[in-house]
Amino acid sequence: MSVTSDYRVLEGKRLLLVISGGIAAYKCLELIRRLKERGVRVRAVLTEGAQQFVTPLSVAALSEEKVYTDLFSLTDESEMGHIRLSREADLVVVAPASADILARMAAGMANDLATTALLATDKPVMVVPAMNVMMWTNPATQANVRTLEGRGIRRLGPAAGDMACGEVGSGRMVEPMEIVAGIAAFFAERSVPKPLAGRRAVVTSGPTHEPIDPVRYIANRSSGKQGHAVAAALAALGADVTLVSGPVTLADPPGVRVVRVETAAEMLAASQSALPADIAVCAAAVADWRVAAAAGDKVKKGPDGPPTLTLAENPDILATLSQAGPARPRLVVGFAAETRDVLAYAAAKLAKKGCDWIVANDVATGTGTFGGDDNQVHLLRQGAQPETPLIEIWPRLSKTEVAARLAQAIADTFLSTSNHSPEPV
Ligand code: CTP
């Protein structure tokens, strides 16, 4: 996150400050002062651990607000329930964020007021870790931080240097003024106009499950990572995104409406319900076939040997959304998962499906694309001649970077065509 010294964006903002246990908690007193000086209204929640380092009285005196400590306080709950407390803020900041609170947040625990408010909030959350270097570098903490970041939680620090415990290394909480600058940068970033603001997008992601009987299904190895990343990247540029997701184990991307489906037929229906849209990105690995007549009861082994499955072709969502007509999104983007002759097959798919762009990715065994974090893609755009698409070769990138680059290409196309041609291709 970039640091800014323009603090005007802070004026009038409401912050819920969760102070967890750690020697760095004392620095929160200065943090509260600096935020108050810049017009921020600060409400604080102290964990039990935090109260070993700072008193609720000093936090209350500096914030000029009631301080909250107890999940089961009758008076607090009648004045300001924990749900309201978690919602009446523009940003929730956990500073210092101890290893313990990061672990509890990652696990979705709600065993005190702080974690309950964090679980109940619908607002952005920023954590400012502070702990001993070994605790910070411990794989458990690192895994928790990755989990939290995967859910869209922002992080400031920790910094490296001398620590209160006498050890040297990474784990020190960043200084109060750096936290103020980080919070200002967060609000500044949000106030920048977004190139896809006002645009609606529908994104498909993940595999589909096609039932054989109530307990078995046909599926594929798609993790949904690429499609989910595209949805998040479009939302980050301001688009109003509906993500139609097959069964995946990923967290919902922040700021995205998620519709969960199982089969290709459900995915098509949900995608069509999300129209009208300006942009459609079909990143799902839709099963090409379903069992023509799925059994209502579990298929049992019998004397006749294995059952024969008769397959029927599934609807092609990308081709359907690409059909010309008033409901057609202005830009329809497909993915082409290929194991060989990637560009040739992708060019053929672009022509056959009628979409505007194809992101061709190499999913050959050994590339690690399915389920992995990286992707090797090429972007093919419909050219003047259908048989000669415009091809951009992209370097091997993480799926998040592929998504950001694709979202930016989409935004650029809309920006360059919004005043000219109605077609963004
Ligand atoms: N797709 C879709 N609906 C389907 C099949 C595919 O929307 N029933 C979309 C995918 O989301 C992707 C694109 O079509 O954007 C290409 O998918 P891919 O699996 O590579 O191609 P197929 O159409 O299945 O063609 P083939 O099996 O011949 O490679």
Side-chain angles (χ1 to χ4, degrees), residues 20 94 96-112 115 118-119 127 129-131 135-136 138-148 151 153:
S20 73
V94 187
S98 63
D100 175 69
I101 203 163
L102 291 174
R104 289 190 291 139
M105 286 169 74
M109 287 171 72
N111 55 350
D112 62 2
T115 46
L118 284 159
L119 199 60
V127 294
M131 66 199 73
M135 292 171 81
W136 172 249
N138 189 297
T141 303
Q142 290 300 308
N144 290 333
V145 168
R146 276 197 303 279
T147 301
L148 294 172
R151 292 178 195 153
I153 288 179

Side-chain angles (χ1 to χ4, degrees), residues 3-11 38 177 180-182 184:
V3 171
T4 176
S5 55
D6 186 352
Y7 297 117
R8 277 168 302 181
V9 284
L10 292 175
E11 186 67 48
R38 288 161 182 81
M177 274 315 291
V180 175

Side-chain angles (χ1 to χ4, degrees), residues 231-280:
L234 290 169
L237 295 188
D240 175 357
V241 183
T242 302
L243 172 64
V244 182
S245 173
V248 294
T249 54
L250 302 172
D252 291 352
V256 164
R257 191 177 313 105
V258 182
V259 182
R260 288 183 184 77
V261 296
E262 295 234 327
T263 64
E266 289 167 6
M267 188 172 271
L268 174 64
S271 303
Q272 288 178 314
S273 303
L275 300 179
D278 304 280
I279 303 152

